[in-house]
Amino acid sequence: MTVGIGGWGARRKPMALVRALLRTDVTDLTVVSCGGPDVGLLAAAGRIRKLVAPFVTLDSVPLEPHFRAAREAGALQFEEWDESMFLWGLTAAAHRLPFMPVRGGLGSDIPRRNPRLRTVTSPYEDGEELLAAPALTLDVALVHMNRADVRGNGQSLGPDPYFDDLFTEAAERAYLSCEQVVERFTGPPQSLLVQRQNVTGVLHTPRGAHFTSCAPDYARDEAFQRAYVRAAGEPDAWREFEARFLTGDEAAYQRAVEAHCAREGAAR
Amino acid sequence: MTTPGTGSGAGAGTGIGDGTGTVTRAEVCVVACAEAWRGDGEVLAATAGTVPMLGARLARLTFSPRLLLTDGEAMLLSTPEDPASAEGWLPYRKHLSVAARGKRHMMMGASQLDRYGNQNISCIGDWARPVRQLLGARGAPSNTVNHPVSYWVPRHSPRVFVPRVDMVSGVGHDRAAEAGGAAARFHGLRRVVTDLAVLDFATPDHRMRLASVHPGVTVAQVREQTGFELVVPDQVPVTREPTPEELRLLRGVLDRQGTRDREVRG
């Protein structure tokens, strides 16, 4: 199954949905993502067969430890894309086109490392030969919004919509989690990012992007992210992290985070 | 030197804020970065790293007033002195459009750079099974074939300046020429600023050249810290020092907390 995950790096990732995915036995995934800890958690659990991404980062921590470890162990296939190729691959899928032409990637090692990439020649006078970014068609998309209604309309109130609308448009089925379910939307019409005809299911998951940021509802939990990075560096510490945070349901996760923060706050 | 970021009198009497006092290496680097955008018109000065960010803001406040700057997320700054001021919206997707349109000059980082300016931020070692996985190519491939690109290397060493990069994320002059056509059409690397020197590609075959050494640095030192043979002119100038006005802006307005010194040793 090919799963597209919205957000960007450690920003507005549908982490509650990723944690839900970890509680299933779904595996052998192709993951399409502007990667952050979503990729890290799935890689740590051995669920990713192939990753399609232009980068994986935690923003304030530049390198994602589980992704690094998986790559260095040869534990996943990596299709490394350029960012503009990624945008146009999702757009092609959303428009039901086989590819979109793009300049980015030409001359670099991206096409050399990825033999399925082809070029396309302009039929017009310029005759330019460009990369044909293949459609990133998804079976499932997962995105997290600030607000949604029960019909599947989603509102993004932060400064950046990332590619979340494109993810829902490129997917056969899309699941939208949100901070708040509302009956009526308020705020500027431009913030109504995701449309219900592209959404299969809506889930109410308060703090569902934790520990990534979800502006303006909350910022990234930097202290927790650091704890995650520390735990990822050592097998015993990671088993303990998993046991503490990832064995129960979403409510148990949020309670464990609260308890952890209270304890760390007292220690500070 | 670190001073508190609050209060207009921060650092008074120490030379901080009034443009006097000893110029640090980091300050020379900020100005050398700023110089990358000299002569650029109304284009986005995009940056990765503290020193290039300060350089772009300094250029905007002095000799390149039409530059566009971001807050590092989704807003365009209307006044660089005030990170909360916005003159426009530039979310990620629009950023990519600006790049594709060519209205951008980005100063990126580099884990590896070779003599033709091929850059690597993807991984170290064999790509198929890297010794050290890094960030991934990010937008380096599209940046380098769409608009001017410069690089910032806070620690000039043979680990960064290598004969051959392990993965070409950012396209160098030889690779752009080899690919030709659409890849070469808008390609143009400008300069590489390091903690030791300024390098450029102003040679007939676009090989990397030593353009200047920072005050107190010798040509031999730069050669020693470079893992390939640099083109070195007979006379190597010394990188210019910041003007008193630039020092005043940098110390008193743009970086009162001295974050620049955390990125550059010495």
Side-chain angles (χ1 to χ4, degrees):
Chain A
M1 183 167 57
T2 299
V3 184
I5 305 178
W8 191 102
R11 306 177 193 188
R12 201 156 43 71
K13 282 286 173 179
M15 297 299 281
L17 295 180
V18 171
R19 290 186 283 267
L21 195 52
L22 288 174
R23 288 192 293 274
T24 69
D25 56 6
V26 174
T27 190
D28 206 29
L29 294 171
T30 295
V31 172
V32 175
S33 176
C34 286
D38 53 329
V39 168
L41 282 175
L42 291 169
R47 305 298 182 89
I48 305 179
R49 183 176 61 83
K50 180 165 123 180
L51 173 69
V52 180
F55 58 82
V56 184
T57 182
L58 298 175
D59 293 83
S60 48
V61 180
L63 305 180
E64 215 298 331
H66 290 303
F67 166 65
R68 265 192 56 196
R71 275 283 284 154
E72 291 165 15
L76 54 76
Q77 279 181 52
F78 184 31
E79 232 184 60
E80 188 167 352
W81 284 46
D82 165 74
E83 291 177 2
S84 65
M85 283 172 55
F86 194 86
L87 165 64
W88 293 114
L90 281 180
T91 305
H95 293 205
R96 298 189 297 181
L97 292 169
F99 68 88
M100 288 286 270
V102 58
R103 196 178 305 277
L106 294 172
S108 76
D109 274 347
I110 294 284
R112 296 188 183 196
R113 304 299 181 195
N114 188 346
R116 89 169 165 120
L117 294 179
R118 298 277 182 273
T119 60
V120 61
T121 302
S122 165
Y124 300 107
E125 281 134 48
D126 56 271
E128 280 201 314
E129 190 183 353
L130 298 161
L131 258 184
L136 284 172
T137 305
L138 311 170
D139 295 311
V140 173
L142 309 176
V143 300
H144 185 75
M145 295 278 112
N146 300 97
R147 308 282 179 267
D149 67 13
V150 293
R151 293 185 295 173
N153 297 299
Q155 185 177 31
S156 155
L157 295 170
D160 202 319
Y162 311 117
F163 293 164
D164 286 4
D165 49 337
L166 279 176
F167 273 102
T168 66
E169 292 163 11
E172 200 60 46
R173 282 166 294 151
Y175 296 94
L176 189 170
S177 60
C178 65
E179 291 298 316
Q180 251 183 63
V181 176
V182 294
E183 291 197 8
R184 297 180 52 155
F185 290 104
T186 54
Q190 296 90 334
S191 63
L192 298 171
L193 186 68
V194 170
Q195 296 172 344
R196 64 184 165 89
Q197 77 275 19
N198 301 316
V199 172
T200 315
V202 175
L203 296 97
H204 183 214
T205 61
R207 294 193 70 77
H210 183 269
F211 51 88
T212 69
S213 63
C214 187
D217 290 314
Y218 46 89
R220 183 179 307 127
D221 187 340
E222 297 287 359
F224 192 87
Q225 175 162 288
R226 282 195 298 274
Y228 164 85
V229 170
R230 273 196 306 277
E234 210 258 303
D236 283 345
W238 182 248
R239 274 190 289 278
E240 196 193 317
F241 185 95
E242 277 187 311
R244 192 187 301 173
F245 297 108
L246 299 173
T247 48
D249 61 10
E250 179 64 15
Y253 172 81
Q254 297 291 350
R255 278 198 305 274
V257 169
E258 248 172 70
H260 171 82
C261 290
R263 204 167 43 243
E264 294 297 303
R268 258 176 230 146
Chain B
M1 167 151 189
T2 304
T3 55
T6 52
S8 55
T14 63
I16 303 299
D18 59 3
T20 63
T22 314
V23 173
T24 68
R25 180 64 57 77
E27 287 161 349
V28 170
C29 290
V30 169
V31 170
C33 288
E35 285 287 343
W37 288 283
R38 188 186 282 276
D40 282 348
E42 206 152 29
V43 303
L44 179 69
T47 56
T50 300
V51 165
M53 182 266 284
L54 291 170
R57 291 180 182 184
L58 190 62
R60 157 78 176 265
L61 286 178
T62 54
F63 48 76
S64 289
R66 293 168 72 211
L67 290 176
L68 297 145
L69 302 170
T70 78
D71 67 348
E73 290 226 9
M75 303 310 287
L76 288 166
L77 292 181
S78 85
T79 42
E81 310 91 300
D82 176 9
S85 66
E87 65 170 342
W89 187 44
L90 198 73
Y92 181 48
R93 207 177 310 184
K94 291 264 285 181
H95 218 108
L96 298 185
S97 306
V98 171
R101 187 162 159 64
K103 303 262 180 191
R104 190 170 183 250
H105 174 179
M106 176 155 193
M107 185 172 277
M108 287 191 283
S111 302
Q112 293 180 328
L113 267 177
D114 73 16
R115 71 189 66 202
Y116 291 105
N118 293 294
Q119 170 249 29
N120 175 19
I121 47 171
S122 293
C123 64
I124 301 299
D126 179 13
W127 181 88
R129 179 78 185 266
V131 175
R132 190 166 167 79
Q133 174 65 42
L134 305 171
L135 202 52
R138 276 217 62 174
S142 45
N143 294 342
T144 44
V145 295
N146 277 307
H147 56 70
V149 165
S150 294
Y151 291 106
W152 161 239
V153 176
R155 187 175 277 244
H156 192 134
S157 87
R159 291 165 65 99
V160 177
F161 291 89
V162 294
R164 202 180 160 86
V165 301
D166 294 335
M167 155 97 188
V168 176
S169 317
V171 179
H173 283 287
D174 57 337
R175 290 288 292 264
E178 189 188 316
R185 195 172 159 196
F186 304 116
H187 180 269
L189 304 180
R190 293 281 175 84
R191 62 165 52 191
V192 181
V193 179
T194 78
D195 58 335
L196 300 181
V198 177
L199 309 134
D200 63 18
F201 302 92
T203 52
D205 61 350
H206 298 298
R207 277 167 63 206
M208 200 183 287
R209 179 190 81 133
L210 183 55
S212 68
V213 289
H214 297 338
V217 178
T218 65
V219 172
Q221 239 177 307
V222 177
R223 276 197 167 119
E224 200 174 290
Q225 293 302 318
T226 305
F228 54 81
E229 203 187 321
L230 272 175
V231 177
V232 179
D234 294 339
Q235 294 294 316
V236 179
V238 174
T239 311
R240 78 166 176 89
E241 299 224 353
T243 64
E245 171 64 1
E246 286 168 338
L247 280 184
R248 187 190 68 78
L249 287 167
L250 189 54
R251 295 173 175 178
V253 178
L254 291 174
D255 188 29
R256 280 191 291 212
Q257 300 186 35
T259 59
R260 59 195 180 278
D261 292 317
R262 283 179 225 149
E263 209 169 76
V264 182
R265 71 211 149 125

